Amino acid sequence: MTTETPKTPPGNETGPTPEAAAPAAAPADRRRWLALAIVMTAAFMDLVDVTIVNIAIPSMRADLQASTSAIQWITAGYALAFAAGLITGGRLGDIYGRKRLFLIGIAGFTAASLLCGIAADPQMLVASRLLQGAMAAMMVPQVLAIIHVTFPPHERGKVFGMFGAIVGLGAVSGPMLGALLTEWNLFGLEWRPIFLINLPVGIAGVLLGRAFITESKAPHALKLDLVGVLLATLGMVMLIYPLTQGRENDWPLWGFLCMGAVPFLIAGFIAYEKHKIAKDGSPLVELSLFKVKSFAAGIAVQLTFGIATGIFFLVWTLMMQLGLGWSALRAGLTGIPFSISVSVAAGLSVQKLVPRFGRKVLQAGALTMAAGVLLYLFLSDHYGMEITSWQMAAPLIVMGIGMGLIVAPLTDTVLSEVPREHAGSASGLINTTGQMGNALGLGLTSVVYFGVIDNEMVLGVPYVDAFRNALWWVVAVMVVIFSVMFALPRKAATPGAGHEAEAGATAEPAPAAASGPAADGDSLEKVPVG
């Protein structure tokens, strides 16, 4: 069953509008619900894989005798490859078919998960994680696009609401699932089941996806900007690689030269994108978006917020297990109050608070999260090595509330002043930036965390002290985020209003750090994006 999306009028290069796409999904095919279950399962698998790894890192480190830079690359490598490929993955889906790219992505993700699960050394694990991130970048952008062209407008609100629930469930269940699988040590495999569990899910996704997902393309999709992809990826690598490897190599000259070259690469990228616009109108990044003040500020918020979360979640896990000596299961259980408070605050912020108070809600979220970190600093200093999970609950709840007030409404707030024809490109860029910030934050742990540990083999107190040092950096980043938020619009578009309502889309976006963008150039307009 193959269906092409209707052709768009000349000049509309972002693909069919939601209204135009509706006829493609008009027939009431019951198989669409099976297709929905398949793509949502794939999205859930990706979300869990992002959050499941941190909790198992101490076990990986001990088993593989991994260095600190290898530990960082296990997480940062995935985020870097994911960020570098998100917009490209969406564009490839438009050109070659979203079903086809989804199946390639989920098959590659499953194969990479197998390679991660059988990795014999840190180098193989890092390489496999890079491949896994790249395949996720092929798979994830197709999810929302497939949903959009599969369901008629009157059903999309309910469907996107279900998608948001899956995103929340993935964020909550990942750490606990990782803790349980690591703690159970199934078949003596220690941490490896956190990757191997993807195999049956991925294989089923490929087989069922071939049978039940409807193919769709954007007939007038833009061409793939390979030079833009290369320049953007090279810039990210030249910044993050020296940060991650520099400390282990005693901060060599080549690292500073690489980082110093990044501004020139950015300038070259911008110049090429302008050339690409003049040549055929198909740049990787729509530069005109940055003329929208609120969008440029939103990109800055997304980047810095990614840095803060990238730093915190890695060092928090290492502190609990390597500093306090807790088991993976205890560390996972400790994070439950945080996950619950994020979910509750996210729902309230979108449904009740943002429509009434606008950007003040996001700014309150930044200050609340900073307050939670400061409370964590106080309690960690007060109780020292004797701190318990219950004593951590209060700061984690405060931080979770702050994060929930930010992540849920951020994308819709940033997109509220973006021209409608660029909504897909803008949402893709927002989420790419968030992933890039996450990778950058993970790279910065070399400086803000491992940089203050004299001997990494001496566990206990040094890891707790380093955690406190890293928290001060998180507080500083949250203050920056609060300041930048003044450039966001005072009030975002009313959720469910305008063309979003016509499309039947929900106004409750999923957390930005959790999944990929709506494909650049696809038919999506302000729908919930990861």
Side-chain angles (χ1 to χ4, degrees), residues 341-355 361 404-405 408 508:
S341 59
V342 169
S343 299
V344 172
L348 287 174
S349 66
V350 171
Q351 297 169 16
K352 304 290 184 182
L353 301 178
V354 171
V361 176
L405 294 178
E508 184 174 351

Side-chain angles (χ1 to χ4, degrees), residues 18 70 73 79 94 128 154 175 180 192-193 202 204 207 220 241 247 253 320 337 351 397 422 466:
W73 275 116
D94 292 336
S128 301
H154 69 275
L180 288 171
R192 299 177 189 275
L207 296 176
H220 294 285
Y241 185 80
R247 177 179 166 274
L253 177 61
M320 286 190 288
Q351 297 169 16
I397 290 171
H422 295 313

Side-chain angles (χ1 to χ4, degrees), residues 425-511:
S425 177
S427 60
L429 189 56
I430 288 169
N431 292 285
T432 297
T433 305
Q435 292 295 333
M436 187 175 72
N438 188 256
L440 183 57
L442 290 164
L444 281 170
T445 57
S446 282
V447 179
V448 305
Y449 186 70
F450 293 111
V452 298
I453 297 176
D454 294 326
N455 186 345
E456 297 158 16
M457 303 311 295
V458 178
L459 306 182
V461 174
Y463 281 82
V464 176
D465 291 341
F467 173 69
R468 295 186 193 122
N469 181 74
L471 288 190
W472 283 112
W473 284 79
V474 175
V475 171
V477 172
M478 297 313 300
V479 172
V480 171
I481 291 172
F482 169 80
S483 303
V484 175
M485 282 178 175
F486 279 105
L488 295 176
R490 290 181 180 275
K491 286 284 184 76
T494 302
H499 65 274
E500 296 94 321
E502 296 169 14
T506 180
E508 184 174 351

Side-chain angles (χ1 to χ4, degrees), residues 135-269:
M135 291 298 102
M138 297 294 104
M139 173 180 70
V140 171
Q142 319 310 325
V143 172
L144 288 174
I146 289 171
I147 291 172
H148 194 86
V149 300
T150 302
F151 286 85
H154 69 275
E155 289 183 339
R156 290 188 201 128
K158 177 172 66 175
V159 172
F160 285 130
M162 294 168 62
F163 180 81
I166 289 294
V167 169
L169 181 62
V172 171
S173 61
M176 270 308 304
L177 184 59
L180 288 171
L181 290 174
T182 303
E183 193 77 11
W184 288 339
N185 190 20
L186 299 174
F187 308 108
L189 294 174
E190 299 181 339
W191 53 270
R192 299 177 189 275
I194 70 170
F195 297 113
L196 298 177
I197 195 174
N198 290 333
L199 269 60
V201 179
I203 292 170
V206 171
L207 296 176
L208 295 174
R210 290 188 62 183
F212 296 109
I213 295 177
T214 298
E215 182 61 283
S216 66
K217 299 178 183 178
H220 294 285
L222 304 178
K223 297 177 181 178
L224 185 62
D225 180 6
L226 288 175
V227 175
V229 172
L230 178 62
L231 289 173
T233 304
L234 186 60
M236 285 189 273
V237 171
M238 289 181 69
L239 177 61
I240 294 170
Y241 185 80
L243 279 174
T244 305
Q245 293 291 136
R247 177 179 166 274
E248 194 167 286
N249 295 322
D250 200 23
W251 299 108
L253 177 61
W254 61 261
F256 292 100
L257 292 175
C258 283
M259 288 187 284
V262 170
F264 298 99
L265 265 175
I266 294 173
F269 174 77

Side-chain angles (χ1 to χ4, degrees), residues 323-392:
L324 299 177
W326 293 358
S327 66
L329 182 58
R330 182 174 178 182
L333 289 170
T334 301
I336 289 177
F338 177 85
S339 299
I340 294 174
S341 59
V342 169
S343 299
V344 172
L348 287 174
S349 66
V350 171
Q351 297 169 16
K352 304 290 184 182
L353 301 178
V354 171
R356 183 175 179 183
F357 300 107
R359 77 178 181 206
K360 291 179 181 178
V361 176
L362 284 83
Q363 290 180 302
L367 293 180
T368 302
M369 193 168 175
V373 177
L374 289 172
L375 179 58
Y376 211 143
L377 270 164
F378 170 76
L379 293 175
S380 178
D381 184 62
H382 179 72
Y383 291 106
M385 299 293 291
E386 303 303 316
I387 193 169
T388 65
S389 297
W390 290 110
Q391 290 159 345
M392 290 185 187

